[in-house]
Amino acid sequence: MRISWNWLKTLIDLDGLSPREVADVLTSIGLEVESVEPLEPVKGMLTGVVVGHVLECAKHPDADRLSITRVDVGGGEHLQIVCGAPNVAEGQKVLVALVGATLYMTDGNSIVIKKSKIRGVESHGMICAEDELGLGQSHAGIMVLDPEARIGTAAADVLGLRADHVFEIGLTPNRADAMSHLGVARDLAAALRYRTGREVSARMPDVSAFTKDDDARRVSVDVQAPHAAPRYAGLTLTNVKVGPSPEWLRERLNSIGLKPINNVVDVTNFVQHELGQPLHAFDADRIADGKIIVRYMPAGTAFVTLDGKERKLDAEDLMIADPNGPLCIAGVFGGLASGVTEGTTAVFLESACFDAISVRRTARRHALNTDASFRFERGVDPEITLVAMERAAMLLREVAGAKVSSDITDLLAHEIPWRHVKVHFANVDRLCGVAIGHDDVVRILQLLDCRIASRTERMVEVQVPPYRVDVHREADLVEEVLRIHGFDRIPVPERLMVPAVMKDTATLEGLQQTLAGHLAARGFNEVMTPSLVNGERTMKLGAATESDLVRLLNPLSNELDVLRPTMLFGLLGAAVHNIARQRRDLRLFEKGRVYVSENGSTREEDRTALLVTGRRWRERWDAEDDRSASGDVKAEVELLVERLGIEGMTAQPVEHPLLDGAVGIQRKNVTLAVIGAVKPVVAKAFDVAQPVFFAELNDAVWLQQIASKRITYAEVSRFPSVRRDLSLLLDKGVTYAQLEKLALQAERKLLLSVDLFDVYEGDKLPAGKKSYALSFMLQDAEKTLTDEKVDKAMRRIRATFEKEVGAELRG
């Protein structure tokens, strides 16, 4: 949310405070200011440019198009300035850039004014044209000011330029009351009064002068859904002249990033951002029979919104209609047929309080996120409805010549009570961790517009204003007290006693921390991606069927409408984000959940996923340009297996809709992980053009494997190990996993490990054959191995290979 410093100062006295000081206070009370940006209508604000009076003007002796002038710039200083403008003349009031001033021109260039010689004549400044000052495009001549302009006055002052600062506030969703300049001013006033004793308060715009001009036009209102529109107010204005807004109004809207449209629409936007109350203006001549009906429409009713799109209404969409049909989606978006245009002369102005849940569902259903829906979804102040209406009417009278031509219609379904909440002083101290005086607690609550219903020595009962839609419980009010008192004023004890906590790896949290720590040490970077993905693309790529997907009832976007069934899509999104920024060599991992629908219920599974793409290692002059492969991801998974001490793992080919050459890492017929190369069509769908390799670990299965595992210790053998190699001719269908398993079964006592160090497939081998070179490490923990024992063990292994898979020993 953007808040203008100049606008804020119209609602609260901030004399003597800088924007940065105010930003610090706002952040300390929970309205976190993410940035304070200077806002200048002209870059540099024409610093060093003043009003000058041309006392003399004569032709340059050596240049027909140049003039030599003597200019009074104030302070008794007369400057000689050489000027090339054809319209410079004696007696003019002009804008003079003094030596040292920097000018930012409209073409994007800037110049620093220096003392110079032009055709042999010294020049001590520059008389400026509007393009040289960044004020426009004209370079036909210098700017000539009103003769009454005071000599020496800063250019920014004489031109009415005002610098501003804009606060970018990261507002939390619960603080609907602070979604306006008035809301920020209220909080700021409470903090300043309590902390500094400064006598300030937020000023509500004065609407005491609001009156009705005549009874020329009245629009009747019929609210048929009072539960969805508990308060609805309307007013008719005539003699409206639609046109551009005055400069002050355009300046206010521009400061918060809103584009001015016309004076009527701009007033409604202005009031919304000033008071937090959304308004809507209808062309009264387009309201059939002069009657507004707040109602639901039949499902499937076609309605064209202001953006020109036709939308099919749902039976639960609250609409503002007339006898002929819908005019506006209540609290969300206006209709094209009833909007204000240049030809509008009569306006029906709406100010209402709509049900938050109804507005939220409608906005999500139609994928509309407007400033109005943003506020209605979180809750608006039902007590400011009429004030906002009167404020807008008075502004329209001022900027559009409008006349108030009816009484205000105010339909209130029921009184909006102030909530009663009891606050016990002992609970304030307990939750805050510091003793806050009882009188201070009460004072803070009063500064926050709470009414004191009753008070005893132990507690105070307060009435909470309706605009604080987030305050319902005692703990909520304690938080309010603490943020105004100051989180930073809670003393830190001299000693912090932190008990030792033993971490058990055999928990999901412990497992995930172990996996994350290991992967980070291996050069992986952790990413966090949204758990929402695009359902249509998910089904198109084959990651899930319609029945498998867990869909959102009210998605924020049609692009993010289902919960992810795989971790791959988020990692691919992170990869393409980095690749687009010239970071092509990536090792990423993510912890998260996947979601699958089964028999009407949702199953959630914790997963850890790895993605590798690009070079194996950083590009160097002494390193080969090796590219990553599926084996790299497999090796990382095997290192994780080794790190956790899981034994008896095998790798089996599996079918996977998103991966080529997919392999399942299994133990006792349970799949711990799936590894493979991302299919090109899948990578292309995410605009990734380079090979990508992926692994997804099922955390729950890994946890089962390590939960029952006991850590044992054995003495390091004093006897050397022995290596033997075999070169085997095999059928192409035989896998390394088969050979490893057979070898360990054939020699259980001495064989420590098996490794594949060479693979050959070529025309020198018989058709359908391949060659594997395997290494075998053997060791006896009790004595030195003899050649006889080693040879005997290798004969058993070889015989098993020949019998089970038809292996042939190569020479």
Side-chain angles (χ1 to χ4, degrees), residues 163-178:
D164 199 357
H165 287 80
V166 176
F167 302 105
E168 190 72 45
I169 297 180
L171 202 62
T172 53
N174 64 304
R175 292 303 308 276
D177 64 293

Side-chain angles (χ1 to χ4, degrees), residues 48-214:
V49 181
V50 299
V51 175
H53 182 206
V54 181
L55 302 175
E56 297 176 2
C57 181
K59 289 294 181 182
H60 194 293
D62 294 328
D64 294 339
R65 296 186 179 183
L66 298 179
S67 300
I68 301 173
T69 64
R70 188 165 62 88
V71 184
D72 181 1
V73 293
E77 187 176 10
H78 295 175
L79 302 179
Q80 178 175 283
I81 299 175
V82 177
C83 180
N87 63 330
V88 65
E90 182 179 319
Q92 292 174 334
K93 294 289 180 66
V94 294
L95 290 177
V96 179
L98 305 177
V99 173
T102 300
L103 301 182
Y104 300 92
M105 297 181 288
T106 53
D107 62 3
N109 294 319
S110 63
I111 56 173
V112 178
I113 304 303
K114 300 177 181 178
K115 177 183 175 180
S116 61
K117 274 191 177 184
I118 303 176
R119 293 290 183 94
V121 177
E122 286 190 352
S123 183
H124 299 266
M126 186 169 91
I127 304 175
C128 302
E130 68 173 39
D131 66 328
E132 295 165 334
L133 296 172
L135 298 172
Q137 302 295 328
S138 175
H139 194 68
I142 59 172
M143 289 184 66
V144 180
L145 304 177
D146 188 292
E148 300 301 319
R150 291 183 57 187
I151 298 170
T153 304
D157 293 337
V158 77
L159 295 174
L161 302 179
R162 293 199 309 162
D164 199 357
H165 287 80
V166 176
F167 302 105
E168 190 72 45
I169 297 180
L171 202 62
T172 53
N174 64 304
R175 292 303 308 276
D177 64 293
M179 293 180 185
S180 65
H181 285 74
L182 176 63
V184 172
R186 277 190 303 232
D187 259 18
L188 185 58
L192 291 175
R193 291 188 70 173
Y194 176 75
R195 297 181 186 181
T196 68
R198 189 184 181 109
E199 289 299 322
V200 295
S201 60
R203 294 187 291 270
M204 185 75 75
D206 184 11
V207 294
S208 60
F210 173 81
T211 57
K212 180 177 65 172
D213 294 307
D214 55 47

Side-chain angles (χ1 to χ4, degrees), residues 235-341:
L235 176 70
T236 308
L237 300 107
T238 59
N239 197 44
V240 177
K241 299 177 181 64
V242 178
S245 295
E247 179 62 31
W248 72 266
L249 182 52
R250 295 199 303 270
E251 181 182 298
R252 287 281 188 262
L253 297 180
N254 282 324
S255 69
I256 58 173
L258 289 183
K259 180 181 178 182
I261 298 173
N262 60 54
N263 47 8
V264 176
V265 176
D266 291 350
V267 163
T268 62
N269 284 332
F270 174 85
V271 173
Q272 175 176 256
H273 287 273
E274 181 181 55
L275 302 180
Q277 172 63 48
L279 303 174
H280 189 69
F282 298 85
D283 188 327
D285 292 328
R286 298 184 179 190
I287 300 175
D289 301 335
K291 184 174 184 179
I292 285 289
I293 307 170
V294 183
R295 56 168 294 191
Y296 295 107
M297 304 297 296
T301 301
F303 178 64
V304 181
T305 46
L306 279 170
D307 56 4
K309 293 182 179 179
E310 181 177 286
R311 303 175 190 274
K312 299 296 183 182
L313 299 179
D314 188 88
E316 294 186 358
D317 292 336
L318 184 68
M319 302 299 295
I320 312 301
D322 64 13
N324 292 343
L327 302 175
C328 171
I329 303 177
V332 181
F333 208 28
L336 187 63
S338 62
V340 172
T341 65

Side-chain angles (χ1 to χ4, degrees), residues 31 39-40 114 143 186 205 245 271 278 352 386 422 445 462 476 520 548 582 634 710 738 809 811:
L31 303 180
L39 188 66
E40 299 173 337
K114 300 177 181 178
M143 289 184 66
R186 277 190 303 232
S245 295
V271 173
L386 297 188
K422 293 181 179 179
L445 293 173
V462 302
D476 297 332
D548 295 331
Q582 309 304 314
K634 182 173 180 289
R710 292 182 177 275
Q738 289 177 274
L809 186 64

Side-chain angles (χ1 to χ4, degrees), residues 271-442:
V271 173
Q272 175 176 256
H273 287 273
E274 181 181 55
L275 302 180
Q277 172 63 48
L279 303 174
H280 189 69
F282 298 85
D283 188 327
D285 292 328
R286 298 184 179 190
I287 300 175
D289 301 335
K291 184 174 184 179
I292 285 289
I293 307 170
V294 183
R295 56 168 294 191
Y296 295 107
M297 304 297 296
T301 301
F303 178 64
V304 181
T305 46
L306 279 170
D307 56 4
K309 293 182 179 179
E310 181 177 286
R311 303 175 190 274
K312 299 296 183 182
L313 299 179
D314 188 88
E316 294 186 358
D317 292 336
L318 184 68
M319 302 299 295
I320 312 301
D322 64 13
N324 292 343
L327 302 175
C328 171
I329 303 177
V332 181
F333 208 28
L336 187 63
S338 62
V340 172
T341 65
E342 293 181 357
T344 297
T345 58
V347 166
F348 175 74
L349 192 62
E350 168 195 279
S351 180
C353 179
F354 296 115
D355 178 68
I357 295 174
S358 174
V359 171
R360 184 182 305 118
R361 287 176 175 171
T362 294
R364 298 298 175 267
R365 194 177 294 124
H366 296 287
L368 289 169
N369 185 21
T370 62
D371 280 347
S373 68
F374 183 78
R375 286 161 175 78
F376 281 125
E377 287 175 25
R378 289 156 177 80
V380 297
D381 181 7
E383 294 189 346
I384 209 170
T385 305
L386 297 188
V387 175
M389 172 79 75
E390 293 167 351
R391 172 70 162 157
M394 293 175 66
L395 287 172
L396 287 172
R397 184 185 284 160
E398 174 187 340
V399 305
K403 291 184 177 181
V404 178
S405 295
S406 75
D407 292 317
I408 293 178
T409 299
D410 181 24
L411 301 180
L412 186 63
H414 53 79
E415 290 296 328
I416 311 295
W418 288 47
R419 287 182 297 279
H420 285 250
V421 181
K422 293 181 179 179
V423 179
H424 296 81
F425 297 123
N427 286 340
V428 175
D429 296 345
R430 179 177 60 85
L431 292 174
C432 292
V434 65
I436 300 177
H438 297 181
D439 290 341
D440 287 339
V441 171
V442 173

